[in-house]
Amino acid sequence: MSSIRQEIHWQDRMEARVAAGVLVLVALSVAGVVLTATRVATRSAVTRTSDNLEAARTAFYRLVDDRAAVAAQQTRLITELPVFRSMMLSPAVASDVATLTEMAESYRATLNAQFAIVSTPSGTPMATPGWPPNLTMPDSLVAAIRDAAAGQSRRD
């Protein structure tokens, strides 16, 4: 009887070991599948996000270019207006900074621009509504004003 009990006990322990081994094998398999699925999903999400970011960046640059082109067209239309030209050609008005500032402020509001700059034919700013008074103009803006005074259209 004792040997039968030992054999049954031995079989129970063997079954427990086999069950534990199967359980460990299943757990490792599930962990491997989860890890692989996570890596695939992460890689796919990163690729999709990168593609979306590039598409958004392209759309943003296209929008900025379109807005700059529209602003340039509107500015060209304003500077071709007879009222604008007569103000700029009249020596009395051209030297009156307050009048030039008021005119530029009106056009700035029409264009929904942050600032407007009216300069002399040589490119020296005379009226700068919307431009912070204590802020120095960056070199790129000074160069754009100089190019505009020379009759060249530019955006930077």
Side-chain angles (χ1 to χ4, degrees):
M1 198 57 122
S2 165
S3 70
I4 294 177
R5 279 188 193 170
Q6 285 179 345
E7 190 172 320
I8 291 175
H9 185 63
W10 183 79
Q11 283 179 345
D12 288 345
R13 283 194 302 191
M14 198 56 150
E15 287 176 4
R17 287 181 183 166
V18 169
V22 168
L23 184 62
V24 167
L25 184 61
V26 167
L28 287 174
S29 297
V30 168
V33 167
V34 167
L35 181 65
T36 302
T38 301
R39 284 184 178 173
V40 168
T42 301
R43 225 179 277 139
S44 174
V46 166
T47 300
R48 200 170 41 251
T49 301
S50 176
D51 292 344
N52 290 344
L53 181 62
E54 187 59 36
R57 182 179 293 129
T58 301
F60 174 75
Y61 288 139
R62 191 175 318 122
L63 177 64
V64 168
D65 283 343
D66 289 348
R67 298 259 327 207
V70 167
Q73 289 171 347
Q74 289 177 334
T75 303
R76 193 172 299 113
L77 287 173
I78 288 171
T79 58
E80 291 173 355
L81 288 172
V83 172
F84 182 85
R85 288 187 173 268
S86 68
M87 290 185 85
M88 296 307 292
L89 294 176
S90 168
V93 176
S95 62
D96 185 5
V97 175
T99 302
L100 288 177
T101 301
E102 185 60 35
M103 176 198 64
E105 175 60 31
S106 170
Y107 288 127
R108 181 188 75 79
T110 300
L111 292 172
N112 197 22
Q114 288 183 337
F115 63 90
I117 298 173
V118 177
S119 71
T120 63
S122 65
T124 304
M126 293 178 60
T128 58
W131 186 264
N134 298 331
L135 185 62
T136 308
M137 290 185 192
D139 293 337
S140 59
L141 181 57
V142 172
I145 293 169
R146 190 174 40 249
D147 288 351
Q152 299 172 357
S153 180
R154 173 179 157 177
R155 61 180 187 223
D156 191 357

